Amino acid sequence: TDAAAPAAASKWNLLTFDTEGDVAVSLAKYTAELSGKFAAERGAFTVVLSGGTLIDTLRKLAEPPYLETVQWSKWHVFWVDERVVPKDHVDSNYKLAVDGLLSKVPIPTDQVYAINDTLSAEGAAADYETVLKQLVKSGVLAMSTATGFPRFDLMLLGMGPDGHLASLFPGHPLLNENQKWVTHIMDSPKPPPQRITFTFPVIKSSAYVAMVVTGPGEASAVKKVLSDDKTLPLLPTEMAILQDGEFTWFTDKQAVSMLQNK
C-alpha cells in the first residue's frame, strides 16, 4: 500500500471483477474456503448476513461443488441487522435469506438465529444480544481478546447508496454506541423505521468481513469510502475499520466506476 494512502485503505483489500456474475463466483469460493478453515479450527463457522442484493450474490453457494462440499452442519447464521417485522413479511431480511439461500442448503434449522418477531424493537435487540451471549458461553461464538466483543468468523455485508452498513446510518446517534452488542433503531431513514442492528464494536471485532457492492447504485459512496478524500463527516462504511481482522471488498466494474475516473 502506498504510504500516503489513508489508514483505512491500508486495512482493506479491494477486489474488482468485470461483472456481478464474476463477483458471485469469487464470493462463493472465498466463503467456502473460510467455512473449511473455521470448521477445522473451531468446529463451528459463525456467518453474519445482511439484506439487499447480497443474498442473490451468494447464490453459487447453493450449487455444485459447494452444495456437496461445504460442511453446512458447522454453520451458525446471524443477521447484522433486521427489520422488526414478521418473519414472512416482504421486508424481512430473514425471509430474503431463507428464500434465496438458506432453504437450498442443509444448515440445521436450530443454527439459524432469527430475531424474535413477537417482541418490540427494543425487546428484540435485547433478546438477540442474550442469544449471542449464550453462544459465547457454549463456545460456538468466539470472543475478541482485543475488544471484549464477540468475534464472528465472517460477516457478509452490503453498503447503501448513502454509505450506511447494517442499520447504522450517516449522522445517526447509534454510530456512537460502544457498549451494547445489539441495539435498536426506531427512526431508520430507510423504511421500515424499526430495526435491530449490530453495533460498530461488534462489526469491528470480526475476523473477516466481505463487503459486497455491485452495480452503479453505490458508485458515489464507493468513491467517497475508497478514495484518498477523507473529508468529514465520514460515512458509516468508512468507519468500519477492523481491530484485528481482514476486510475485503468484492466489487464489479460498475461499482468502482467513479473511483476509477476520479
Side-chain angles (χ1 to χ4, degrees):
T1 303
D2 183 344
S10 67
K11 299 176 185 289
W12 284 335
N13 306 315
L14 175 60
L15 303 178
T16 299
F17 302 89
D18 285 342
T19 67
E20 186 275 344
D22 297 326
V23 173
V25 169
S26 180
L27 185 64
K29 181 172 184 291
Y30 170 88
T31 303
E33 287 175 351
L34 286 179
S35 172
K37 164 185 162 68
F38 284 105
E41 291 177 1
R42 299 185 49 245
F45 182 43
T46 53
V47 184
V48 178
L49 303 176
S50 61
T53 59
L54 171 78
I55 300 302
D56 187 49
T57 311
L58 288 170
R59 63 188 178 275
K60 295 292 183 183
L61 282 171
E63 301 175 6
Y66 306 114
L67 184 59
E68 296 83 13
T69 58
V70 166
Q71 290 181 271
W72 297 107
S73 64
K74 306 295 188 185
W75 279 48
H76 293 258
V77 178
F78 307 83
W79 278 264
V80 72
D81 69 331
E82 178 59 285
R83 292 84 178 272
V84 182
V85 295
K87 291 187 186 71
D88 59 356
H89 192 281
V90 66
D91 288 332
S92 167
N93 284 339
Y94 170 84
K95 175 177 167 55
L96 179 71
V98 168
D99 291 350
L101 177 66
L102 300 181
S103 62
K104 303 174 183 179
V105 294
I107 300 170
T109 55
D110 62 348
Q111 292 170 200
V112 176
Y113 304 94
I115 72 165
N116 185 336
D117 59 0
T118 68
L119 300 175
S120 66
E122 184 175 11
D127 178 74
Y128 210 69
E129 182 164 322
T130 297
V131 170
L132 300 187
K133 289 181 174 177
Q134 290 171 342
L135 291 168
V136 168
K137 285 183 180 178
S138 66
V140 169
L141 180 55
M143 282 290 281
S144 168
T145 54
T147 68
F149 284 86
R151 181 172 176 81
F152 287 91
D153 298 330
L154 173 62
M155 289 198 181
L156 294 156
L157 305 181
M159 178 180 68
D162 60 354
H164 84 266
L165 78 166
S167 283
L168 299 170
F169 292 92
H172 196 280
L174 285 188
L175 298 179
N176 301 314
E177 173 59 58
N178 60 11
Q179 301 297 319
K180 295 178 180 177
W181 296 7
V182 184
T183 191
H184 71 288
I185 179 171
M186 301 295 288
D187 57 351
S188 166
K190 180 182 177 184
Q194 296 189 26
R195 300 157 174 244
I196 74 163
T197 184
F198 284 4
T199 60
F200 259 131
V202 173
I203 295 171
K204 291 179 178 181
S205 298
S206 305
Y208 291 85
V209 169
M211 175 61 71
V212 184
V213 186
T214 59
E218 289 78 32
S220 178
V222 168
K223 178 183 179 182
K224 170 79 166 79
V225 174
L226 292 177
S227 73
D228 295 348
D229 176 17
K230 293 295 127 188
T231 53
L232 297 176
L234 296 179
L235 298 177
T237 302
E238 288 180 273
M239 301 164 62
I241 308 302
L242 302 188
Q243 301 283 358
D244 178 29
E246 184 177 296
F247 193 119
T248 303
W249 288 75
F250 286 80
T251 65
D252 63 6
K253 286 188 172 179
Q254 285 187 314
V256 299
S257 58
M258 293 180 67
L259 186 69
Q260 294 168 330
N261 297 333
K262 72 180 192 315

